[in-house]
Amino acid sequence: MFFLKLSWQLLLVKALIKMATSSSEAIQLQTNDGVIHTVDIRFALQICPVRNIIMQERQKNLYTDDVIPLPRVDAKNLRFIIKWWTSVQDLEENLPRMGKGKLIQLLTEENANHQFLLQIILAANYLQMENLLLITTNLLAEALNECKCVEEIRKKFLRN
């Protein structure tokens, strides 16, 4: 019974993604600081909690224009995640390698520090964006491996 339900959900997700690639539907997401972002449904379907809400609406034939809250993500982090996803959405199989390069480029452009990277990791974890979470945690691990001692880690990652 469980596998039947799971396969039904997978079919629904595939149908939603297929539908999303052929339409320009937009979804509104509200961050914890009250900022509303209008995003492409293809991006929204990458966010597991949002995808679940959309799936439930579609199963019940509800098509609302309600804003979907993201209580653990702020506007700055969501804007960065949207920018990253937009730049890597067509990479597919090259995503781990090319996505990391694009992430480093965007972090450099934002003049971001390691605290910001930690915030992106927390947001990616909450949003259940597996690819972004994998890439950001690998980048963090590389930064930790570069440190020679605990004092270096403290200097690099802790705010003063």
Side-chain angles (χ1 to χ4, degrees), residues 23 44 55 63 70 86 115 121 130 134 138 140 145 149 151:
S23 74
M55 283 175 44
Y63 294 89
L70 299 175
T86 303
Q115 290 295 325
I121 290 171
E130 298 297 324
L134 178 70
N138 283 337
L140 178 64
N145 284 334
C149 60
E151 287 77 26

Side-chain angles (χ1 to χ4, degrees), residues 43 81-90:
F43 172 74
I81 292 169
I82 292 168
K83 188 187 288 187
W84 175 81
W85 180 83
T86 303
S87 67
V88 299
Q89 67 180 333
D90 297 326

Side-chain angles (χ1 to χ4, degrees), residues 111-130:
N111 199 19
N113 59 17
H114 288 93
Q115 290 295 325
F116 183 69
L117 179 61
L118 291 171
Q119 291 174 0
I120 297 299
I121 290 171
L122 292 173
N125 184 49
Y126 171 72
L127 300 173
Q128 298 176 26
M129 294 182 73
E130 298 297 324

Side-chain angles (χ1 to χ4, degrees), residues 87-156:
S87 67
V88 299
Q89 67 180 333
D90 297 326
L91 295 179
E92 292 180 18
E93 66 274 344
N94 289 329
L95 187 59
R97 185 173 52 82
M98 301 293 288
K100 180 181 171 187
K102 193 62 179 173
L103 179 68
I104 292 169
Q105 177 187 347
L106 291 173
L107 287 169
T108 304
E109 288 173 8
E110 293 279 327
N111 199 19
N113 59 17
H114 288 93
Q115 290 295 325
F116 183 69
L117 179 61
L118 291 171
Q119 291 174 0
I120 297 299
I121 290 171
L122 292 173
N125 184 49
Y126 171 72
L127 300 173
Q128 298 176 26
M129 294 182 73
E130 298 297 324
N131 290 324
L132 179 59
L133 185 60
L134 178 70
I135 292 168
T136 53
T137 53
N138 283 337
L139 191 61
L140 178 64
E142 289 173 7
L144 286 170
N145 284 334
E146 291 173 0
C147 296
K148 305 285 186 229
C149 60
V150 175
E151 287 77 26
E152 251 186 274
I153 293 172
R154 285 188 185 131
K155 204 182 295 182
K156 196 179 257 191

Side-chain angles (χ1 to χ4, degrees), residues 42-105:
R42 292 174 295 170
F43 172 74
L45 290 173
Q46 302 302 310
I47 302 171
C48 191
V50 174
R51 182 175 60 234
N52 292 340
I53 291 170
I54 294 170
M55 283 175 44
Q56 289 175 354
E57 285 181 351
R58 301 296 159 90
Q59 283 177 335
K60 296 175 184 175
N61 287 328
L62 298 174
Y63 294 89
T64 64
D65 292 333
D66 292 343
V67 175
I68 299 173
L70 299 175
R72 294 187 184 169
V73 181
D74 67 11
K76 180 180 178 184
N77 295 336
L78 186 60
R79 271 193 299 273
F80 183 85
I81 292 169
I82 292 168
K83 188 187 288 187
W84 175 81
W85 180 83
T86 303
S87 67
V88 299
Q89 67 180 333
D90 297 326
L91 295 179
E92 292 180 18
E93 66 274 344
N94 289 329
L95 187 59
R97 185 173 52 82
M98 301 293 288
K100 180 181 171 187
K102 193 62 179 173
L103 179 68
I104 292 169
Q105 177 187 347

Side-chain angles (χ1 to χ4, degrees), residues 10-65:
L10 287 173
L11 286 172
L12 186 58
V13 168
K14 287 181 181 180
L16 279 172
I17 291 171
K18 188 176 184 178
M19 178 197 69
T21 57
S22 63
S23 74
S24 59
E25 187 177 353
I27 302 290
Q28 290 188 320
L29 305 174
Q30 183 175 17
T31 55
N32 63 6
D33 46 1
V35 179
I36 296 177
H37 301 266
T38 302
V39 298
D40 189 285
I41 190 168
R42 292 174 295 170
F43 172 74
L45 290 173
Q46 302 302 310
I47 302 171
C48 191
V50 174
R51 182 175 60 234
N52 292 340
I53 291 170
I54 294 170
M55 283 175 44
Q56 289 175 354
E57 285 181 351
R58 301 296 159 90
Q59 283 177 335
K60 296 175 184 175
N61 287 328
L62 298 174
Y63 294 89
T64 64
D65 292 333

